[in-house]
Amino acid sequence: MSHKLRFLELFAALCAIVVSLGVSGVIDRATAAPLNIGASASMDAYFLINDGVIRDDIAVSVGVTTALSGSALSTVEDAAATNSDGSYVQVGNPFNDPPTPFIATEFNETTQPDGDEARGFYYVEQNLTLDDSSRTVFLDRTLAGTAALDFTDIAISASASSDFEIGRDLVLTNTSDATAYAFEIATGFDMSLAASADDLGSQSIAEAVFSLSFITSGYVALDYLGSSGNSPTIDDSDPGVSVANNCVVGDSDNNVLLDGVNCQASVSATGTGAPTDASFETIRQFFFGVIMAPGSSLRLSFFQSQNSATSYIDPSVSEVPLPASALLFLGGLGFFSRIHRNQKPAGERVALNP
């Protein structure tokens, strides 16, 4: 047997061993890169009444709280993982009349013994400016949330999420007996969403909603004066990415009699085995003209929400039973042994020693 043929037989044996071990699950997949995926949503929104200058006959009072809730969660399917049990901090009281500035945060983290983490976090801040009569004339809110998975060992399932929604009504009333008043309302937001997913089995989604609705009583004329801001910046080029953006001014038919503004956006990323990123950013401003007859009222319902969620489910690996891998190994050896025999002259063929 030539050295070349001996080398081929040895190489074939090694290849068969590696293939059989890989198929049987001993080497079920190559070492993967660390899993670092997540989702984030942030939105800074505001409304401003007549540049902060309101006639004394226009009373501004706090209406109902339409929504105020939030949560941050994380979980890892590992009995040895430790959950932080969450932490919640709030400074200020949004239920006051008028609502006072406040900041609230919630954090939840689950950590494995090797330091791998799943974490959810939200942040909300509300500020307001009052006029000389202690009426709210400017309201600014910031919502931000993140959900992230940071794993070196990805052979485990984990998830994290963060969500918050807040809504509060202000009621404007013309207390004059004979005078109608005209003024402007400006509103807008700065919204940024991002989602990333790399490995198969990973998925992230970020969503945000902004709305300012008008509810009238008595004679109130509303006029949409226009909008400004940049066009949305969208990154949706990667496979496995989805981006949605819908913003409506007025009712569903954009009629002159306005219901207000309602904007929703979302991004999602599903792992394809390659880096997958989705993002959405936009800044929008809207302007409305208002005429209020004596005794009329206008309710401003100012609502925001954010949701961020990410998860990883370890993909199941199909394994071939050991007997099948053994047959594959022996078949590889037999194939190359047959090639070796066929290349010898007939008179030189000998039986293999037992």
Side-chain angles (χ1 to χ4, degrees), residues 55-60 135 171-181 292-297:
R55 295 289 298 266
D56 290 339
D57 286 339
I58 301 295
V60 182
R135 296 171 298 187
V171 180
L172 282 62
T173 303
N174 184 353
T175 61
S176 171
D177 294 332
T179 305
Y181 290 109
M292 296 183 64
S296 64
S297 64

Side-chain angles (χ1 to χ4, degrees), residues 11-12 53 55 94 99 103 105 137 164 187 203 276 318 325 337 349:
F11 180 75
V53 180
R55 295 289 298 266
I103 296 176
T105 62
V137 294
F164 197 90
T187 188
Q203 185 173 29
T276 302
S318 298
S325 64
S337 177
R349 290 180 185 164

Side-chain angles (χ1 to χ4, degrees), residues 51-81:
D51 289 328
V53 180
I54 303 180
R55 295 289 298 266
D56 290 339
D57 286 339
I58 301 295
V60 182
S61 59
V62 176
V64 299
T65 298
T66 55
L68 183 63
S69 65
S71 66
L73 299 172
S74 64
T75 180
V76 174
E77 293 186 6
D78 183 349

Side-chain angles (χ1 to χ4, degrees), residues 19 159 239 340:
V19 170
S159 65
H340 168 55

Side-chain angles (χ1 to χ4, degrees), residues 69-111:
S69 65
S71 66
L73 299 172
S74 64
T75 180
V76 174
E77 293 186 6
D78 183 349
T82 303
N83 186 269
S84 66
D85 293 329
S87 61
Y88 174 74
V89 177
Q90 179 172 313
V91 179
N93 186 357
F95 293 102
N96 286 353
D97 185 3
T100 58
F102 78 100
I103 296 176
T105 62
E106 186 167 1
F107 181 79
N108 186 273
E109 181 180 56
T110 302
T111 306

Side-chain angles (χ1 to χ4, degrees), residues 19 23 46 54 66 72 74 76 97 124 136 139 142 178 215 218 241 269 285 319 331 341:
V19 170
V23 173
Y46 75 93
I54 303 180
T66 55
S74 64
V76 174
D97 185 3
V124 56
T136 301
L139 178 59
T142 298
I215 302 172
V241 162
Q285 294 177 311
E319 297 184 357
R341 291 199 308 271

